[in-house]
Amino acid sequence: MTKRRSPAVAGALGILVVVLATLSALSLDSLPIVGAGATYKAQFSEAAGLKPSNEVRIAGVKVGTVTSVDLEGDRVVVGFRVGDAWVGDQTSASIQIKTILGQKYLALDPRGSDTLDPSDQIPLERTTAPYDVIEAFSSAAETVSEIDTEQLAASMQTLSEAFSETPGDIRASLDGVSRLSETIASRDQQLQALFRATGQTSQILADRNEEFTRLIRDAGTLLNELNTRQQAIHQLLTGTQRLSQQLTALVRENEEQIGPALAQLNGVVGILNENNAELDKAMKLYEPFVRLYTNVVGNGRWFDQVVVNVLPPGLPDIPGYREPVRTLGVN
């Protein structure tokens, strides 16, 4: 007698199998045997906005993705995976700007005679990090907003008074610095509004990064479609040109036969024009014949016709007696 397994145990085993299959599918790309290429590392002086999942490109073609961005001492170590591409032992790397909104990607320049060992990192001497303009504006806005411009102006004024007994050149320099600080203090609200608006604009552009990327991608699709239509129109015009050339050659080859045929056709048309009046007269005479013939045979399988002048016409009935014109036997 077999012992049946409990439904709860079977359900738990089924859920465990599904979870393990899901985890395996999600981590399939990170497995060393079936993963999408080898994983390398490069040292940079700063991250410059590079993030995991950013693209890795060689000569503008995507060959992998960034897997990690970690800080190790005074440098940033970027891990990236490359598939279906050769990476040499003298390869250089740089962080490039992908879009005007500040999205980055890792660019590789494969060099060297041997393949790069995944355990060897690309050193700082062969890496380049860009200057992040958006981050600089944001930092400048935060720094300016934290400065007490009124206190700065007062400090400059006090410094100018303290050096009032110094030679004229130094006093003029300090007076200029004091006036500059006063000007900055008087424009404090405008500067703060300007940097605040710059920060908001940068944030809005960063938030709309996906939309701009989609717009650029759709523009590429539109250009591809226009290119396809242009090729189709080119093929149509080329085919029309070839057809015209073939028709021209056909006309030239049959010119000797076409000429006499057209001349004969012109003669036939002339004869028809000359006999047009006779044809019109025949059609007019044919009309009453058809009408009478239709009346004769229109009653079925026999002819409906009247024969006249067979008997003499009847004499008129005149009352009274009339003498005969001539009497037989009488001279």
Side-chain angles (χ1 to χ4, degrees), residues 163-174:
F163 283 88
S164 59
E165 302 299 330
T166 57
D169 296 337
I170 297 178
R171 287 201 307 271
S173 301
L174 294 178

Side-chain angles (χ1 to χ4, degrees), residues 104-154:
K104 306 296 194 306
Y105 70 92
L106 182 64
L108 300 180
D109 185 10
R111 297 179 181 177
S113 57
D114 298 328
T115 304
L116 179 64
D117 189 351
S119 61
D120 296 336
Q121 298 182 358
I122 301 177
L124 284 174
E125 292 78 12
R126 299 204 305 269
T127 61
T128 305
Y131 185 73
D132 197 336
V133 178
I134 296 178
E135 184 177 356
F137 271 112
S138 301
S139 301
E142 295 177 357
T143 303
V144 172
S145 62
E146 295 176 357
I147 296 177
D148 190 350
T149 54
E150 294 182 359
Q151 186 177 359
L152 178 62

